[in-house]
Amino acid sequence: DEDEDEDLDEEEDEDDGSNEEEEVEVEGSADESSNNGDDDDDDGENDDGSAAASSAVFVAHFEPPLSDSNLAALTASLRPLQEAGRAVPYKRMESPQFEFANYHIPSLSEEAAKLLGAAACPGMPSRIPADLHIPASQIKSRLRWPRTAAPAASSSSNSSKVLDMTPLQAELFWHMDRYQDVYFPGWTFAAAADLRRVTALHVLSHALKTRSRILKHNARIKANEEAAEPEDLDIRDQGFARPKVLVLLPYRSAAHEFVTNMIDLAVDPASARADRAVRNRKRFDDEFGVQPDDPENTHPNKEHRLFFHGNTDDDFRIGLQVTRTGLNLYSDFYSSDVLVASPLGLRRIIGSEGERERDFDFLSSIEVFVLDQADVFMMQNWEHVQHIVDHMNKTPTDMRGADIGRIRLWTLEGLASCFRQTIVLSQVAEPDINALFNKFSHNYAGKVRM
């Protein structure tokens, strides 16, 4: 019912007017199982088949069939992946888009590999097809990425429709959608728009799959409670906190571009509710976008002008909540699905040991971690990035009403970093960036460097 949805939208975000310094201070429950009323429940038919196809890899990666009896075997196999400083061997993969593409798939015990299934053994090919196409069924139908008819001669898709991507976007998304860690030190200004847009697609797709999965389980639990003979359900689909994606960007201008891409993908401007689909849009454009009275960068060096275009403030953070019709901007961190921030902006909240007011529990359940323009972080303060990584996927100090019965067993066991995907986009390959990717990316699905 649209009127009911509107009423729920009114209740959704009571902190719309809060300033950024207060965004993470929240009272009350962080229970992910609560239906906030306007979350996406779009699991109908996709352009090219059922929505099950779009969530298949997601479910395989994050919801292996674990129980108390087999958790110990998984823990014993994954725990070594978390050892800091652990060097890994890479194998070569032929790529039509990149000068080199190396990958690493961790060696797991036979029992662990069986539990994790295809997600742990994705069968990396020795070469990526030159005519790579991503089936349209890999993303939710509500996402506004252009679809096109699949080429008849395509060897990479059996679908009738595919996503209309550049070859660069297709190959990157192919790895992202498999939830493998991705390191691409080939970022250029010419490719920046394509890279940012395909990353925004993956981020939004993950957030939608997460919320849709929880809402379907909510409905199942409610129906079971009302049944004459209720089943003994054991549904584990959550983490300690709601935020599942963290995107680090160097400047407000980059954040504005990234979030605008998410809005464009989530909201149809021709829809009747388009003007209400993005809450706090004007505030966001005012604080992150280019203003008419902003001075123009007239530096003689073109790269300098590109590098420092728009709002170059590097102290910011903002929460984004995925809704049924669009996005809520400036949502409280503990009510957000996606966090977008600069390293400095997030470091100011995390604080340091001994400080009285500090908070990093909202990082406890991050499943997708994106570093966009990581080389710029080197010029700002790389220690901020390292500090953030050190405080990610830790057991929270305050459970904030989380439903323990629905928290995934691997989260409770302290294995969240082994399920987290890390995506690093950089203009150059710096030793510190290499070290972060090699030593602190523990993804059991493997990693790819291109």
Side-chain angles (χ1 to χ4, degrees):
D1 183 88
E2 285 195 9
D3 292 334
E4 183 180 359
D5 287 344
E6 289 175 20
D7 293 339
L8 289 164
D9 282 345
E10 293 295 329
E11 299 172 4
E12 180 81 37
D13 188 6
E14 298 179 357
D15 292 325
D16 283 351
S18 64
N19 62 52
E20 290 185 298
E21 299 302 322
E22 298 173 339
E23 283 167 1
V24 298
E25 297 179 9
V26 59
E27 297 181 359
S29 171
D31 182 3
E32 284 192 286
S33 66
S34 63
N35 184 344
N36 291 310
D38 62 351
D39 293 279
D40 174 56
D41 194 18
D42 174 22
D43 264 346
E45 288 295 307
N46 268 310
D47 292 353
D48 196 47
S50 70
S54 71
S55 298
V57 180
F58 171 90
V59 173
H61 184 83
F62 293 104
E63 298 183 12
L66 296 180
S67 64
D68 292 334
S69 60
N70 59 33
L71 182 61
L74 180 69
T75 301
S77 188
L78 294 187
R79 193 70 77 192
L81 303 183
Q82 297 177 312
E83 297 176 1
R86 180 176 174 273
V88 298
Y90 283 88
K91 295 183 179 180
R92 194 78 161 182
M93 178 170 52
E94 293 183 29
S95 165
Q97 299 304 316
F98 305 110
E99 183 178 342
F100 72 90
N102 298 331
Y103 70 93
H104 167 72
I105 304 296
S107 297
L108 304 177
S109 68
E110 184 177 347
E111 185 173 357
K114 184 177 180 180
L115 283 172
L116 296 171
C121 310
M124 291 292 286
S126 59
R127 64 182 298 276
I128 300 294
D131 60 343
L132 180 64
H133 297 283
I134 307 299
S137 58
Q138 291 301 107
I139 65 173
K140 293 280 189 182
S141 58
R142 67 171 278 188
L143 292 176
R144 300 179 59 254
W145 191 284
R147 275 82 162 170
T148 187
S154 174
S155 63
S156 58
S157 174
N158 295 321
S159 302
S160 60
K161 286 188 177 181
V162 296
L163 301 180
D164 188 6
M165 293 180 165
T166 67
L168 172 63
Q169 288 175 325
E171 187 160 342
L172 283 172
F173 189 78
W174 188 80
H175 292 292
M176 291 178 184
D177 194 52
R178 291 157 70 91
Y179 285 101
Q180 295 171 321
D181 292 342
V182 176
Y183 179 22
F184 177 52
W187 190 100
T188 64
F189 288 107
D194 287 345
L195 291 171
R196 201 154 278 162
R197 188 164 181 81
V198 77
T199 306
L201 174 66
H202 177 61
V203 164
L204 185 56
S205 179
H206 180 76
L208 285 172
K209 291 171 184 176
T210 299
R211 297 307 301 162
S212 179
R213 190 82 175 155
I214 290 173
L215 290 178
K216 279 195 170 295
H217 288 159
N218 287 348
R220 183 183 173 190
I221 291 171
K222 182 178 180 181
N224 185 64
E225 291 173 346
E226 296 172 352
E229 298 182 7
E231 301 176 57
D232 185 15
L233 297 180
D234 184 21
I235 295 176
R236 295 185 177 273
D237 55 3
Q238 302 178 15
F240 292 117
R242 177 163 175 167
K244 292 295 179 290
V245 182
L246 172 63
V247 182
L248 294 184
L249 294 146
Y251 302 119
R252 284 181 183 256
S253 58
H256 186 267
E257 183 180 347
F258 191 92
V259 174
T260 299
N261 272 311
M262 291 183 65
I263 294 172
D264 290 344
L265 290 165
V267 179
D268 182 357
S271 69
R273 301 183 65 184
D275 59 335
R276 292 174 291 170
V278 182
R279 185 168 297 176
N280 293 320
R281 177 67 183 271
K282 184 180 184 303
R283 175 186 170 189
F284 174 70
D285 288 337
D286 289 344
E287 296 183 359
F288 284 77
V290 177
Q291 302 305 311
D293 56 348
D294 286 347
E296 182 181 358
N297 186 342
T298 58
H299 195 280
N301 184 282
K302 179 181 179 181
E303 186 163 317
H304 184 281
R305 294 196 303 272
L306 292 170
F307 196 82
F308 293 105
H309 78 284
N311 190 332
T312 56
D313 178 36
D314 66 349
D315 184 2
F316 63 87
R317 55 195 175 269
I318 181 172
L320 284 70
Q321 184 183 77
V322 176
T323 70
R324 185 185 300 277
T325 56
L327 296 170
N328 285 343
L329 310 183
Y330 294 96
S331 56
D332 177 272
F333 267 25
Y334 286 97
S335 299
S336 299
D337 300 296
V338 180
L339 309 178
V340 176
S342 65
L344 174 60
L346 211 54
R347 172 65 188 266
R348 281 159 52 85
I349 296 176
I350 294 174
S352 301
E353 191 71 33
E355 292 184 7
R356 186 172 62 87
E357 294 186 7
R358 57 189 309 231
D359 187 7
F360 50 88
D361 288 348
F362 54 84
L363 297 175
S364 61
S365 300
I366 295 298
E367 294 171 351
V368 177
F369 177 36
V370 178
L371 297 93
D372 191 330
Q373 288 187 272
D375 55 298
V376 182
F377 304 149
M378 295 291 302
M379 294 183 281
Q380 292 174 334
N381 191 332
W382 184 254
E383 194 273 334
H384 293 337
V385 175
Q386 189 61 64
H387 193 70
I388 292 168
V389 173
D390 289 341
H391 288 80
M392 199 178 297
N393 299 125
K394 303 295 184 184
T395 301
T397 56
D398 184 350
M399 299 299 287
R400 296 179 181 267
D403 185 349
I404 299 295
R406 288 182 67 174
I407 295 178
R408 295 178 176 120
L409 290 176
W410 49 259
T411 298
L412 296 173
E413 194 67 15
L415 298 172
S417 67
C418 297
F419 289 77
R420 184 189 71 228
Q421 179 187 45
T422 301
I423 299 170
V424 183
L425 307 176
S426 175
Q427 198 166 11
V428 294
E430 291 279 355
D432 285 337
I433 302 176
N434 294 343
L436 178 79
F437 188 76
N438 290 332
K439 300 175 183 178
F440 296 97
S441 298
H442 309 142
N443 193 344
Y444 78 82
K447 57 183 66 178
V448 182
R449 297 178 54 181
M450 294 169 285

